[in-house]
Coordinates of all heavy atoms in Angstrom, one line a residue:
I102 N -24.2 0.9 -10.8 CA -24.3 -0.2 -9.8 C -25.4 -0.1 -8.8 O -26.2 -1.1 -8.5 CB -23.0 -0.4 -9.1 CG1 -21.9 -0.8 -10.0 CG2 -23.1 -1.4 -8.0 CD1 -21.9 -2.2 -10.6
N103 N -25.6 1.1 -8.3 CA -26.5 1.3 -7.1 C -28.0 0.9 -7.5 O -28.6 0.2 -6.7 CB -26.5 2.7 -6.6 CG -27.3 2.9 -5.4 OD1 -27.0 2.3 -4.3 ND2 -28.4 3.7 -5.4
P104 N -28.5 1.3 -8.6 CA -29.9 0.9 -8.9 C -30.2 -0.6 -8.9 O -31.3 -1.1 -8.6 CB -30.2 1.5 -10.3 CG -29.2 2.6 -10.4 CD -28.0 2.1 -9.7
I105 N -29.1 -1.4 -9.3 CA -29.3 -2.8 -9.3 C -29.1 -3.5 -8.0 O -29.9 -4.3 -7.5 CB -28.2 -3.4 -10.3 CG1 -28.4 -2.8 -11.7 CG2 -28.4 -5.0 -10.4 CD1 -27.3 -3.2 -12.7
I106 N -28.0 -3.0 -7.3 CA -27.7 -3.6 -5.9 C -28.8 -3.2 -4.9 O -29.2 -4.0 -4.1 CB -26.4 -3.1 -5.4 CG1 -25.2 -3.5 -6.3 CG2 -26.2 -3.4 -4.0 CD1 -24.9 -5.0 -6.2
D107 N -29.4 -2.0 -5.1 CA -30.4 -1.5 -4.1 C -31.6 -2.5 -4.1 O -32.3 -2.6 -3.0 CB -30.8 -0.1 -4.5 CG -31.7 0.5 -3.4 OD1 -31.2 1.0 -2.4 OD2 -32.9 0.5 -3.6
K108 N -31.9 -3.1 -5.2 CA -33.1 -4.0 -5.3 C -32.9 -5.2 -4.5 O -33.9 -5.9 -4.2 CB -33.4 -4.3 -6.7 CG -33.9 -3.1 -7.6 CD -34.0 -3.5 -9.0 CE -34.5 -2.3 -9.9 NZ -34.6 -2.7 -11.3
Q109 N -31.6 -5.5 -4.1 CA -31.3 -6.7 -3.3 C -31.5 -6.5 -1.8 O -31.6 -7.5 -1.1 CB -29.9 -7.2 -3.6 CG -29.6 -7.5 -5.1 CD -28.2 -7.7 -5.4 OE1 -27.3 -7.7 -4.5 NE2 -27.8 -8.0 -6.6
F110 N -31.6 -5.2 -1.4 CA -31.7 -4.9 0.0 C -33.1 -5.2 0.6 O -34.1 -5.1 -0.2 CB -31.2 -3.5 0.3 CG -29.8 -3.2 -0.2 CD1 -29.5 -1.9 -0.5 CD2 -28.9 -4.1 -0.2 CE1 -28.2 -1.6 -0.9 CE2 -27.6 -3.9 -0.6 CZ -27.2 -2.6 -0.9
I111 N -33.1 -5.4 1.9 CA -34.5 -5.5 2.5 C -35.2 -4.2 2.6 O -34.5 -3.1 2.5 CB -34.3 -6.1 3.9 CG1 -33.6 -5.2 4.9 CG2 -33.6 -7.5 3.9 CD1 -33.7 -5.6 6.3
Y112 N -36.5 -4.2 2.7 CA -37.2 -3.0 2.8 C -36.8 -2.1 3.9 O -36.7 -0.8 3.8 CB -38.7 -3.3 2.9 CG -39.6 -2.1 2.9 CD1 -40.0 -1.5 1.7 CD2 -40.0 -1.5 4.1 CE1 -40.8 -0.4 1.7 CE2 -40.8 -0.3 4.1 CZ -41.2 0.2 2.9 OH -42.0 1.4 2.9
D113 N -36.6 -2.7 5.1 CA -36.3 -1.9 6.3 C -34.8 -1.6 6.5 O -34.4 -1.5 7.7 CB -36.9 -2.5 7.5 CG -38.4 -2.4 7.5 OD1 -38.9 -1.3 7.3 OD2 -39.1 -3.4 7.6
S114 N -34.1 -1.4 5.5 CA -32.7 -0.8 5.5 C -32.9 0.6 5.0 O -33.3 0.8 3.9 CB -31.8 -1.6 4.6 OG -30.6 -0.9 4.4
Y115 N -32.5 1.6 5.8 CA -32.9 3.0 5.5 C -31.7 4.0 5.2 O -31.9 5.1 4.8 CB -33.7 3.6 6.6 CG -35.1 3.1 6.6 CD1 -35.4 1.9 7.2 CD2 -36.1 3.7 6.0 CE1 -36.7 1.4 7.2 CE2 -37.4 3.3 6.0 CZ -37.7 2.1 6.6 OH -39.0 1.6 6.5
G116 N -30.5 3.6 5.5 CA -29.3 4.5 5.4 C -28.9 4.6 3.9 O -28.7 3.6 3.2
S117 N -28.7 5.9 3.5 CA -28.1 6.2 2.1 C -28.9 5.5 1.0 O -28.3 4.9 0.1 CB -26.6 5.8 2.1 OG -25.9 6.5 3.1
R118 N -30.2 5.5 1.1 CA -31.0 4.9 0.0 C -32.1 5.9 -0.4 O -32.7 6.6 0.4 CB -31.7 3.6 0.5 CG -30.7 2.5 0.8 CD -31.5 1.3 1.3 NE -32.2 0.7 0.2 CZ -33.2 -0.2 0.3 NH1 -33.5 -0.7 1.5 NH2 -33.8 -0.7 -0.7
K119 N -32.3 6.0 -1.7 CA -33.3 6.9 -2.3 C -34.7 6.6 -1.8 O -35.1 5.4 -1.8 CB -33.2 6.9 -3.8 CG -34.1 7.9 -4.5 CD -33.9 7.9 -6.0 CE -34.8 8.9 -6.7 NZ -34.6 8.9 -8.2
G120 N -35.4 7.6 -1.3 CA -36.7 7.4 -0.8 C -36.8 6.9 0.6 O -37.8 6.6 1.1
K121 N -35.6 6.7 1.3 CA -35.5 6.2 2.6 C -35.0 7.3 3.5 O -35.6 8.4 3.6 CB -34.6 5.0 2.7 CG -35.1 3.8 1.8 CD -36.3 3.1 2.4 CE -36.6 1.8 1.6 NZ -37.7 1.0 2.2
G122 N -33.9 7.1 4.3 CA -33.4 8.1 5.1 C -33.8 8.1 6.5 O -34.7 7.3 6.9
A123 N -33.3 9.0 7.3 CA -33.6 9.1 8.8 C -35.0 9.3 9.1 O -35.6 8.8 10.0 CB -32.7 10.1 9.4
F124 N -35.6 10.2 8.3 CA -37.0 10.6 8.6 C -38.0 9.4 8.4 O -38.8 9.1 9.2 CB -37.4 11.8 7.6 CG -38.8 12.4 7.9 CD1 -39.0 12.9 9.2 CD2 -39.8 12.4 7.0 CE1 -40.3 13.5 9.5 CE2 -41.0 12.9 7.2 CZ -41.3 13.5 8.5
A125 N -37.7 8.7 7.3 CA -38.6 7.5 7.0 C -38.3 6.4 8.0 O -39.3 5.7 8.4 CB -38.3 7.0 5.6
A126 N -37.1 6.3 8.4 CA -36.8 5.2 9.4 C -37.4 5.5 10.8 O -38.0 4.6 11.4 CB -35.2 5.2 9.6
S127 N -37.4 6.8 11.2 CA -38.1 7.2 12.5 C -39.6 7.0 12.4 O -40.2 6.5 13.3 CB -37.7 8.6 12.9 OG -38.1 9.5 11.9
N128 N -40.1 7.3 11.2 CA -41.6 7.1 11.0 C -42.0 5.6 11.1 O -43.0 5.2 11.7 CB -42.0 7.6 9.7 CG -42.2 9.1 9.6 OD1 -42.2 9.8 10.7 ND2 -42.2 9.7 8.4
R129 N -41.1 4.8 10.5 CA -41.4 3.3 10.5 C -41.4 2.7 11.9 O -42.3 2.0 12.3 CB -40.4 2.6 9.6 CG -40.5 1.1 9.4 CD -41.7 0.7 8.6 NE -41.5 -0.6 8.1 CZ -42.5 -1.3 7.5 NH1 -43.6 -0.8 7.3 NH2 -42.2 -2.6 7.1
L130 N -40.3 3.1 12.6 CA -40.2 2.5 14.0 C -41.3 3.0 14.9 O -41.9 2.2 15.6 CB -38.8 2.9 14.5 CG -38.5 2.4 16.0 CD1 -38.7 0.9 16.0 CD2 -37.2 2.8 16.5
Q131 N -41.6 4.3 14.8 CA -42.7 4.8 15.6 C -44.0 4.2 15.3 O -44.8 3.9 16.2 CB -42.8 6.3 15.4 CG -43.8 7.0 16.4 CD -43.8 8.5 16.4 OE1 -43.8 9.1 15.3 NE2 -43.7 9.1 17.5
K132 N -44.3 3.9 14.0 CA -45.5 3.2 13.6 C -45.6 1.8 14.3 O -46.7 1.4 14.8 CB -45.6 3.1 12.1 CG -46.8 2.4 11.6 CD -46.8 2.3 10.1 CE -48.0 1.5 9.6 NZ -48.0 1.4 8.1
W133 N -44.5 1.1 14.3 CA -44.4 -0.2 15.0 C -44.7 -0.1 16.5 O -45.5 -0.9 17.0 CB -43.1 -0.9 14.8 CG -42.8 -1.3 13.4 CD1 -43.7 -1.5 12.4 CD2 -41.5 -1.8 12.9 NE1 -43.0 -1.9 11.2 CE2 -41.7 -2.1 11.5 CE3 -40.3 -1.9 13.4 CZ2 -40.7 -2.6 10.7 CZ3 -39.2 -2.4 12.7 CH2 -39.4 -2.7 11.3
V134 N -44.1 0.9 17.1 CA -44.2 1.0 18.6 C -45.7 1.4 18.9 O -46.3 1.0 19.9 CB -43.2 2.0 19.1 CG1 -43.4 2.3 20.6 CG2 -41.8 1.5 18.9
R135 N -46.2 2.3 18.1 CA -47.6 2.8 18.4 C -48.6 1.7 18.2 O -49.5 1.5 19.0 CB -47.9 4.0 17.4 CG -49.2 4.6 17.6 CD -49.5 5.7 16.6 NE -48.4 6.7 16.7 CZ -48.1 7.6 15.7 NH1 -48.7 7.5 14.5 NH2 -47.2 8.5 15.9
H136 N -48.4 0.9 17.1 CA -49.3 -0.3 16.9 C -49.3 -1.2 18.1 O -50.3 -1.8 18.4 CB -48.9 -1.0 15.6 CG -49.7 -2.2 15.3 ND1 -51.0 -2.1 14.9 CD2 -49.4 -3.5 15.4 CE1 -51.5 -3.3 14.7 NE2 -50.6 -4.2 15.0
N137 N -48.1 -1.4 18.7 CA -48.0 -2.4 19.8 C -48.8 -1.9 21.0 O -49.3 -2.7 21.7 CB -46.5 -2.5 20.2 CG -46.3 -3.6 21.2 OD1 -46.6 -4.8 20.9 ND2 -45.9 -3.2 22.4
T138 N -48.9 -0.6 21.2 CA -49.7 -0.1 22.4 C -51.2 -0.4 22.2 O -51.9 -0.4 23.2 CB -49.4 1.4 22.5 OG1 -49.9 2.1 21.4 CG2 -48.0 1.8 22.8
T139 N -51.6 -0.5 21.0 CA -53.1 -0.8 20.8 C -53.4 -2.3 20.5 O -54.5 -2.6 20.3 CB -53.6 0.0 19.6 OG1 -52.8 -0.3 18.4 CG2 -53.4 1.5 19.8
N140 N -52.3 -3.1 20.5 CA -52.4 -4.5 20.2 C -52.5 -5.3 21.5 O -51.6 -5.2 22.3 CB -51.2 -5.0 19.4 CG -51.4 -6.4 18.8 OD1 -52.1 -7.2 19.5 ND2 -50.9 -6.7 17.7
K141 N -53.6 -6.0 21.8 CA -53.7 -6.7 23.0 C -52.7 -7.8 23.3 O -52.3 -8.1 24.4 CB -55.1 -7.3 23.1 CG -56.3 -6.3 23.2 CD -57.6 -7.0 23.3 CE -58.7 -6.0 23.3 NZ -60.1 -6.7 23.4
D142 N -52.1 -8.4 22.2 CA -51.1 -9.4 22.3 C -49.8 -8.9 22.8 O -49.0 -9.7 23.4 CB -50.9 -10.1 21.0 CG -52.2 -10.9 20.6 OD1 -53.0 -11.2 21.5 OD2 -52.3 -11.1 19.4
K143 N -49.5 -7.6 22.7 CA -48.3 -7.0 23.1 C -47.1 -7.8 22.5 O -46.2 -8.2 23.2 CB -48.1 -6.9 24.6 CG -49.2 -6.1 25.3 CD -49.2 -4.6 24.8 CE -50.3 -3.8 25.4 NZ -50.3 -2.4 24.9
E144 N -47.1 -8.1 21.2 CA -46.2 -9.0 20.6 C -44.8 -8.4 20.5 O -43.8 -9.1 20.5 CB -46.7 -9.3 19.2 CG -46.0 -10.5 18.5 CD -46.6 -10.8 17.2 OE1 -47.6 -10.2 16.8 OE2 -46.1 -11.7 16.5
Y145 N -44.7 -7.0 20.6 CA -43.4 -6.3 20.4 C -43.3 -5.3 21.6 O -43.0 -4.2 21.4 CB -43.3 -5.7 19.1 CG -43.5 -6.6 17.9 CD1 -44.7 -6.6 17.2 CD2 -42.6 -7.6 17.7 CE1 -44.9 -7.5 16.2 CE2 -42.8 -8.5 16.6 CZ -43.9 -8.5 15.9 OH -44.1 -9.4 14.9
D146 N -43.4 -5.9 22.8 CA -43.3 -5.0 24.0 C -41.9 -4.6 24.4 O -41.7 -3.6 25.1 CB -43.9 -5.8 25.2 CG -44.8 -4.9 26.1 OD1 -45.1 -3.8 25.6 OD2 -45.1 -5.3 27.2
F147 N -40.9 -5.3 23.8 CA -39.5 -5.0 24.2 C -38.7 -4.7 22.9 O -39.1 -5.1 21.8 CB -38.9 -6.1 24.9 CG -39.5 -6.3 26.3 CD1 -40.6 -7.2 26.4 CD2 -39.0 -5.7 27.4 CE1 -41.2 -7.4 27.7 CE2 -39.5 -5.9 28.7 CZ -40.6 -6.8 28.8
Y148 N -37.6 -4.0 23.1 CA -36.7 -3.7 21.9 C -35.3 -4.1 22.3 O -34.9 -4.1 23.4 CB -36.8 -2.2 21.5 CG -36.1 -1.3 22.5 CD1 -34.7 -1.0 22.4 CD2 -36.8 -0.7 23.6 CE1 -34.1 -0.1 23.3 CE2 -36.2 0.1 24.5 CZ -34.8 0.4 24.3 OH -34.2 1.3 25.2
L149 N -34.6 -4.4 21.2 CA -33.1 -4.7 21.3 C -32.4 -3.6 20.4 O -32.8 -3.5 19.3 CB -32.8 -6.1 20.8 CG -31.3 -6.4 20.5 CD1 -30.5 -6.4 21.8 CD2 -31.2 -7.8 19.9
K150 N -31.5 -2.9 21.0 CA -30.7 -1.9 20.3 C -29.3 -2.4 20.1 O -28.6 -2.8 21.0 CB -30.7 -0.6 21.0 CG -29.8 0.5 20.3 CD -29.8 1.8 21.1 CE -28.8 2.8 20.6 NZ -29.1 3.2 19.2
L151 N -28.9 -2.4 18.8 CA -27.5 -2.9 18.5 C -26.8 -1.8 17.7 O -27.4 -1.1 16.9 CB -27.6 -4.2 17.6 CG -28.3 -5.4 18.2 CD1 -28.4 -6.5 17.2 CD2 -27.5 -5.9 19.4
D152 N -25.5 -1.8 17.8 CA -24.7 -0.8 17.1 C -23.3 -1.5 16.8 O -22.8 -2.1 17.7 CB -24.5 0.5 17.9 CG -24.1 1.7 17.1 OD1 -23.7 1.5 16.0 OD2 -24.3 2.8 17.6
I153 N -22.8 -1.3 15.6 CA -21.5 -1.9 15.3 C -20.4 -0.9 15.8 O -20.5 0.3 15.5 CB -21.4 -2.1 13.8 CG1 -22.5 -2.9 13.2 CG2 -20.0 -2.8 13.4 CD1 -22.6 -4.3 13.7
S154 N -19.4 -1.5 16.4 CA -18.3 -0.7 16.9 C -17.4 -0.1 15.8 O -16.9 -0.9 15.0 CB -17.4 -1.5 17.9 OG -16.3 -0.8 18.4
K155 N -17.3 1.2 15.7 CA -16.5 1.9 14.7 C -16.6 1.2 13.3 O -15.6 0.8 12.7 CB -15.0 1.8 15.2 CG -14.8 2.6 16.5 CD -13.4 2.6 16.9 CE -13.2 3.4 18.2 NZ -11.8 3.4 18.7
Y156 N -17.8 1.2 12.8 CA -18.1 0.4 11.6 C -17.3 0.7 10.4 O -16.6 -0.1 9.8 CB -19.6 0.5 11.3 CG -20.0 -0.2 10.0 CD1 -19.6 -1.5 9.7 CD2 -20.8 0.5 9.1 CE1 -20.0 -2.1 8.6 CE2 -21.1 -0.1 7.9 CZ -20.7 -1.4 7.6 OH -21.1 -2.0 6.5
F157 N -17.3 2.0 10.0 CA -16.6 2.4 8.7 C -15.1 2.1 8.8 O -14.5 1.8 7.8 CB -16.9 3.8 8.4 CG -18.2 4.0 7.6 CD1 -19.4 4.1 8.2 CD2 -18.1 4.1 6.2 CE1 -20.6 4.3 7.4 CE2 -19.2 4.3 5.4 CZ -20.5 4.4 6.0
Y158 N -14.6 2.3 10.0 CA -13.1 2.1 10.1 C -12.7 0.7 10.2 O -11.5 0.4 10.2 CB -12.7 2.9 11.4 CG -13.0 4.4 11.4 CD1 -13.7 4.9 12.5 CD2 -12.7 5.2 10.3 CE1 -14.1 6.3 12.5 CE2 -13.1 6.5 10.3 CZ -13.7 7.1 11.4 OH -14.1 8.4 11.3
R159 N -13.6 -0.3 10.4 CA -13.2 -1.7 10.6 C -13.8 -2.6 9.6 O -13.6 -3.9 9.8 CB -13.7 -2.1 12.0 CG -12.9 -1.3 13.1 CD -13.2 -1.7 14.5 NE -12.4 -1.0 15.5 CZ -12.6 -1.1 16.8 NH1 -13.6 -1.9 17.3 NH2 -11.8 -0.5 17.6
V160 N -14.4 -2.2 8.6 CA -14.9 -3.1 7.5 C -13.7 -3.8 6.9 O -12.7 -3.2 6.6 CB -15.6 -2.3 6.4 CG1 -15.7 -3.1 5.1 CG2 -17.0 -1.8 6.9
D161 N -13.8 -5.1 6.9 CA -12.7 -6.0 6.4 C -12.8 -6.0 4.8 O -13.8 -6.4 4.2 CB -12.9 -7.4 6.9 CG -11.7 -8.3 6.6 OD1 -11.7 -8.8 5.5 OD2 -10.9 -8.5 7.5
H162 N -11.7 -5.6 4.2 CA -11.6 -5.5 2.8 C -11.8 -6.9 2.1 O -12.5 -6.9 1.0 CB -10.3 -4.9 2.3 CG -10.1 -3.5 2.7 ND1 -9.0 -2.7 2.3 CD2 -11.0 -2.6 3.4 CE1 -9.2 -1.5 2.8 NE2 -10.3 -1.4 3.4
E163 N -11.3 -7.9 2.6 CA -11.4 -9.2 2.0 C -12.9 -9.7 2.0 O -13.4 -10.2 1.0 CB -10.5 -10.3 2.7 CG -10.6 -11.6 2.1 CD -9.7 -12.7 2.8 OE1 -9.1 -12.3 3.8 OE2 -9.6 -13.8 2.3
V164 N -13.5 -9.5 3.1 CA -15.0 -9.8 3.2 C -15.8 -9.0 2.2 O -16.7 -9.5 1.5 CB -15.5 -9.6 4.7 CG1 -17.0 -9.8 4.7 CG2 -14.8 -10.6 5.6
L165 N -15.4 -7.7 2.1 CA -16.2 -6.8 1.3 C -16.0 -7.2 -0.2 O -17.0 -7.2 -1.0 CB -15.7 -5.3 1.5 CG -16.4 -4.3 0.6 CD1 -17.9 -4.3 0.8 CD2 -15.8 -2.9 1.0
I166 N -14.8 -7.4 -0.6 CA -14.5 -7.8 -2.0 C -15.1 -9.1 -2.4 O -15.7 -9.3 -3.5 CB -13.0 -7.8 -2.3 CG1 -12.5 -6.3 -2.2 CG2 -12.7 -8.4 -3.7 CD1 -11.0 -6.2 -2.3
N167 N -15.1 -10.1 -1.5 CA -15.7 -11.4 -1.7 C -17.2 -11.2 -1.9 O -17.9 -11.9 -2.7 CB -15.4 -12.4 -0.6 CG -14.0 -12.9 -0.7 OD1 -13.3 -12.9 -1.7 ND2 -13.4 -13.4 0.4
D168 N -17.8 -10.3 -1.1 CA -19.2 -10.0 -1.2 C -19.5 -9.4 -2.5 O -20.5 -9.8 -3.2 CB -19.7 -9.1 -0.1 CG -21.2 -8.9 -0.1 OD1 -22.0 -9.8 0.0 OD2 -21.6 -7.7 -0.4
A169 N -18.7 -8.5 -3.0 CA -18.8 -7.9 -4.3 C -18.8 -8.9 -5.4 O -19.6 -8.9 -6.4 CB -17.8 -6.8 -4.5
K170 N -17.9 -9.9 -5.3 CA -17.7 -11.0 -6.3 C -19.0 -11.8 -6.3 O -19.4 -12.4 -7.4 CB -16.5 -11.8 -6.0 CG -15.2 -11.1 -6.2 CD -14.0 -12.0 -5.8 CE -12.7 -11.3 -6.1 NZ -11.5 -12.2 -5.7
R171 N -19.6 -12.0 -5.2 CA -20.8 -12.8 -5.1 C -22.0 -12.1 -5.8 O -22.9 -12.8 -6.4 CB -21.2 -13.0 -3.6 CG -22.4 -14.0 -3.4 CD -22.5 -14.3 -1.9 NE -22.8 -13.1 -1.1 CZ -24.0 -12.5 -1.0 NH1 -25.0 -13.0 -1.5 NH2 -24.1 -11.4 -0.2
R172 N -21.9 -10.8 -5.9 CA -23.0 -10.0 -6.5 C -22.7 -9.6 -7.9 O -23.6 -9.4 -8.7 CB -23.3 -8.7 -5.7 CG -23.7 -8.9 -4.3 CD -23.7 -7.6 -3.5 NE -23.9 -7.8 -2.1 CZ -25.1 -7.8 -1.4 NH1 -26.2 -7.7 -2.1 NH2 -25.2 -8.0 -0.1

Side-chain angles (χ1 to χ4, degrees):
I102 296 289
N103 187 63
I105 303 172
I106 296 289
D107 189 79
K108 293 176 182 178
Q109 301 171 0
F110 299 153
I111 67 168
Y112 181 86
D113 287 310
S114 165
Y115 285 85
S117 301
R118 295 181 68 193
K119 187 176 181 180
K121 300 286 186 173
F124 188 59
S127 60
N128 282 345
R129 180 74 160 170
L130 180 58
Q131 188 173 47
K132 181 180 178 180
W133 288 349
V134 175
R135 185 181 300 159
H136 178 73
N137 188 64
T138 61
T139 59
N140 189 329
K141 292 181 180 180
D142 294 337
K143 300 298 179 186
E144 197 173 355
Y145 303 108
D146 219 12
F147 293 88
Y148 73 89
L149 167 65
K150 176 179 173 59
L151 301 172
D152 202 339
I153 307 295
S154 178
K155 298 182 180 179
Y156 174 48
F157 272 84
Y158 303 127
R159 293 182 178 174
V160 164
D161 187 282
H162 290 182
E163 184 180 2
V164 174
L165 178 57
I166 291 171
N167 285 339
D168 182 63
K170 289 177 179 178
R171 186 172 60 85
R172 299 172 190 269

